[in-house]
């Protein structure tokens, strides 16, 4: 088995999501090559106190629109996490959900001696088919003269970023590490030479002067990490709303590849990752940065464990078809899994966006693993009235994740006698005057 992984980073410069098609950004515009995993890292998301307060009540606007696009293509958000201006979202295709375990967030602050989260890293790790994956989103210090500070921030994150109650705990020890973000490394050349070479698309002439590549060669940053060739225009700095280099800030910043995606694998997983594409998205003009995306193929053929779906859904015993506004009986068999009293089963519409995006749920049968081949039965009261295709998902309280997804099935419109009555407004006659 191979997994297509799409990783995207974008410094959004405190803007709101533009009214654009986000499919190219998320690599959803080719039905033949849809990703199995998508990770998106944003930097400089609005972090004013009132914005953070609002997010306790409703979803961040960037996360909301991104997870809607992903859900429409079968990708379910595992988790979205924020550290001040950094927002990190990772989604996995529904067919892989039963094999995801140990989802853990991680944070590493590097600003103000590690006390402030304006710079540093926010991360999400999990295991899939027995292999550990770690996605890190970073924002490092700005300005050309702070190259050494950026190297120190890399060192701090690589040494201290870790996760609790999982194996491995250290970020750099995971089977697959994908590090994305606005690293802010600049190009040590004059602005005239940079613009001249970019105008002729002779990007390779600038590679020897790229601070990240120089520091990496000297062993100061991203040791043992890989990156695709920089065959696209520098991603910073533009006049917002245009493809023109910076003239409006008054500082005339040099163009630079500040936004990058790199990856690392352990020695035993060597040569199992192939880069499919690495490019910037020049059509997204809202920010002074351009988003960068990398699509990679991870070969898991020799590492698939014997992990199997612990829940067997007995669709043939579920008194199908189900009709809206009626009750539905869900039957399932548990195997090789010790159930917990707070496990639950959710009824989801096909294309659901995240674990809590259910239409309704019922508590699973306690000690369901003892019911044997006859299985367990759970009754859903008053099914959704809206017809369509649905799935059931078993959520494990102990593992804090969905461990099984049923095949899709249809809920039909309510039968006539079950439809909710429609109130008819009768106009009252007026008296003749």
């Amino acid at each position: 088995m191979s997994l297509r992984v799409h990783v995207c980073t974008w410094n959004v410069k405190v803007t709101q999501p533009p009214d654009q098609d986000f499919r190219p950004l998320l690599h959803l515009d080719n039905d033949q090559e849809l990703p199995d995993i998508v990770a998106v890292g944003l930097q400089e998301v609005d972090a004013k106190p009132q914005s953070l307060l609002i997010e306790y009540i409703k979803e961040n606007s960037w996360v909301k629109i991104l997870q809607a696009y992903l859900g429409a293509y079968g990708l379910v958000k595992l988790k979205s996490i924020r550290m001040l201006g950094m927002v990190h979202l990772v989604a996995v295709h529904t067919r892989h959900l039963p094999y995801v375990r140990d989802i853990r967030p991680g944070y590493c602050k590097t600003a103000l001696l590690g006390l402030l989260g304006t710079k540093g890293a926010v991360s999400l790790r999990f295991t899939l088919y027995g292999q550990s994956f770690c996605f890190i989103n970073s924002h490092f210090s700005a300005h050309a003269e702070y190259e050494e500070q950026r190297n120190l921030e890399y060192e701090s994150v690589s040494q201290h970023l870790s996760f609790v109650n999982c194996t491995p705990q250290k970020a750099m020890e995971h089977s697959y590490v994908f590090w994305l973000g606005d690293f802010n490394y600049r190009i040590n050349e004059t602005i005239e030479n940079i613009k001249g070479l970019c105008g002729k698309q002779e990007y390779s002439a600038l590679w020897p002067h790229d601070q990240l590549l120089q520091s990496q060669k000297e062993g100061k940053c991203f040791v043992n990490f890989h990156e695709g060739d920089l065959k696209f225009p520098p991603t910073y700095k533009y006049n917002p709303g245009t493809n023109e280099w910076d003239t409006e800030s008054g500082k005339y910043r040099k163009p630079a590849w500040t936004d990058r995606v790199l990856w690392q694998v352990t020695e035993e997983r060597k040569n199992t990752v192939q880069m499919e594409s690495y490019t910037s998205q020049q059509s997204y003009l809202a920010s002074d940065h351009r988003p960068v995306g990398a699509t990679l193929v991870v070969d898991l053929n020799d590492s698939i464990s014997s992990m199997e779906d612990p829940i067997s859904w007995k669709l043939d015993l579920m008194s199908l078809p189900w009709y809206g506004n009626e009750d539905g009986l869900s039957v399932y068999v548990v195997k090789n899994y010790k159930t917990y009293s707070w496990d639950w089963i959710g009824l989801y519409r096909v294309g659901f966006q995240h674990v809590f995006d259910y239409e309704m749920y019922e508590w699973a049968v306690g000690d369901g693993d003892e019911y044997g081949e006859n299985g367990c039965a759970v009754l859903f009261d008053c099914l959704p009235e809206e017809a369509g295709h649905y799935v059931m998902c078993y959520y494990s309280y102990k593992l804090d994740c969905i461990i099984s997804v049923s095949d899709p099935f249809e809920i039909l419109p309510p039968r006539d006698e079950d439809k909710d009555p429609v109130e008819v407004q009768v106009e009252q006659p007026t008296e003749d005057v």
Side-chain angles (χ1 to χ4, degrees), residues 177-241:
V177 180
F178 301 89
W179 203 333
L180 54 140
D182 176 6
F183 301 134
N184 260 317
Y185 286 96
R186 308 306 171 93
I187 300 172
N188 292 329
E189 257 290 3
T190 65
I191 190 170
E192 293 78 15
N193 286 347
I194 295 173
K195 289 183 177 180
L197 291 168
C198 289
K200 295 182 288 186
Q201 297 186 7
E202 295 179 2
Y203 304 121
S204 61
L206 293 171
W207 296 348
H209 309 285
D210 178 79
Q211 290 181 348
L212 191 156
L213 295 177
Q214 287 179 334
S215 292
Q216 186 181 37
K217 187 177 181 180
E218 295 168 4
K220 296 180 179 179
C221 74
F222 294 101
V223 179
N224 298 322
F225 275 83
H226 306 275
E227 183 183 17
D229 290 336
L230 300 167
K231 295 182 178 180
F232 48 87
T235 57
Y236 171 87
K237 175 179 170 82
Y238 295 86
N239 292 328

Side-chain angles (χ1 to χ4, degrees), residues 253-287:
R253 299 292 190 195
K254 295 179 184 179
W257 288 291
T258 57
D259 312 275
R260 313 284 274 266
V261 176
L262 298 95
W263 77 93
Q264 172 188 276
V265 298
T266 55
E267 183 63 29
E268 59 268 24
R269 303 305 304 152
K270 187 178 179 180
N271 300 322
T272 59
V273 176
Q274 299 296 323
M275 172 157 278
E276 201 170 77
S277 66
Y278 187 38
T279 187
S280 62
Q281 296 281 351
Q282 294 297 117
S283 63
Y284 296 94
L285 309 178
S287 170

Side-chain angles (χ1 to χ4, degrees), residues 24-307:
L25 182 76
L26 302 172
H27 198 67
L28 302 175
D29 51 346
N30 186 338
D31 289 341
Q32 304 303 314
E33 298 180 352
L34 290 176
D36 299 282
I37 302 173
V38 172
V40 182
L42 304 177
Q43 306 84 38
E44 293 198 43
V45 177
D46 185 4
K48 295 192 289 290
Q50 59 267 34
S51 300
L52 296 174
L53 182 61
I54 289 172
E55 288 180 29
Y56 279 103
I57 305 170
K58 62 180 183 179
E59 190 72 84
N60 172 270
S61 58
W62 281 98
V63 173
K64 186 176 180 179
I65 193 168
L66 292 175
Q67 71 184 15
Y69 270 92
L70 293 166
Y73 286 84
L75 287 134
V76 178
K77 181 185 74 175
L78 294 183
K79 196 176 286 289
S80 60
I81 46 182
R82 180 200 261 262
M83 187 172 76
L84 289 184
M86 280 176 275
V87 170
H88 196 42
L89 180 156
V90 180
V92 171
H93 198 279
T94 312
R95 62 178 170 269
H96 303 300
L97 276 183
Y99 310 102
V100 176
R101 297 288 186 273
D102 298 326
I103 305 167
R104 300 285 188 276
Y107 307 85
C108 183
K109 302 174 183 178
T110 60
L112 197 64
L113 301 177
L115 299 175
L116 190 60
T118 54
K119 294 294 186 288
V122 60
S123 179
L124 191 74
R125 65 87 60 196
F126 55 90
T127 59
L128 178 59
Y129 298 112
Q131 293 297 321
S132 55
F133 289 76
C134 181
F135 293 87
I136 307 171
N137 171 23
S138 279
H139 193 187
F140 291 165
S141 295
H143 307 306
E145 63 271 24
Y146 288 119
E147 179 181 356
E148 285 306 313
Q149 176 64 27
R150 289 186 277 277
N151 290 340
L152 290 173
E153 288 170 330
Y154 155 80
E155 187 69 21
S156 180
V157 174
S158 63
Q159 291 295 323
H160 299 113
L161 181 61
S162 61
F163 310 89
V164 298
N165 300 325
C166 62
T167 303
Q169 291 188 332
K170 293 186 176 180
M172 296 301 111
E173 294 178 358
H174 284 66
S175 304
Y176 298 96
V177 180
F178 301 89
W179 203 333
L180 54 140
D182 176 6
F183 301 134
N184 260 317
Y185 286 96
R186 308 306 171 93
I187 300 172
N188 292 329
E189 257 290 3
T190 65
I191 190 170
E192 293 78 15
N193 286 347
I194 295 173
K195 289 183 177 180
L197 291 168
C198 289
K200 295 182 288 186
Q201 297 186 7
E202 295 179 2
Y203 304 121
S204 61
L206 293 171
W207 296 348
H209 309 285
D210 178 79
Q211 290 181 348
L212 191 156
L213 295 177
Q214 287 179 334
S215 292
Q216 186 181 37
K217 187 177 181 180
E218 295 168 4
K220 296 180 179 179
C221 74
F222 294 101
V223 179
N224 298 322
F225 275 83
H226 306 275
E227 183 183 17
D229 290 336
L230 300 167
K231 295 182 178 180
F232 48 87
T235 57
Y236 171 87
K237 175 179 170 82
Y238 295 86
N239 292 328
T242 76
N243 276 316
E244 299 173 356
W245 300 117
D246 175 36
T247 58
E248 297 179 353
S249 71
K251 299 177 181 178
Y252 300 98
R253 299 292 190 195
K254 295 179 184 179
W257 288 291
T258 57
D259 312 275
R260 313 284 274 266
V261 176
L262 298 95
W263 77 93
Q264 172 188 276
V265 298
T266 55
E267 183 63 29
E268 59 268 24
R269 303 305 304 152
K270 187 178 179 180
N271 300 322
T272 59
V273 176
Q274 299 296 323
M275 172 157 278
E276 201 170 77
S277 66
Y278 187 38
T279 187
S280 62
Q281 296 281 351
Q282 294 297 117
S283 63
Y284 296 94
L285 309 178
S287 170
D288 57 354
H289 289 250
R290 294 294 175 266
V292 170
T295 304
L296 307 106
V297 177
V298 178
D299 182 10
L300 295 181
N301 277 338
D302 61 347
S303 67
I304 296 294
S305 68
S306 58
M307 182 187 295

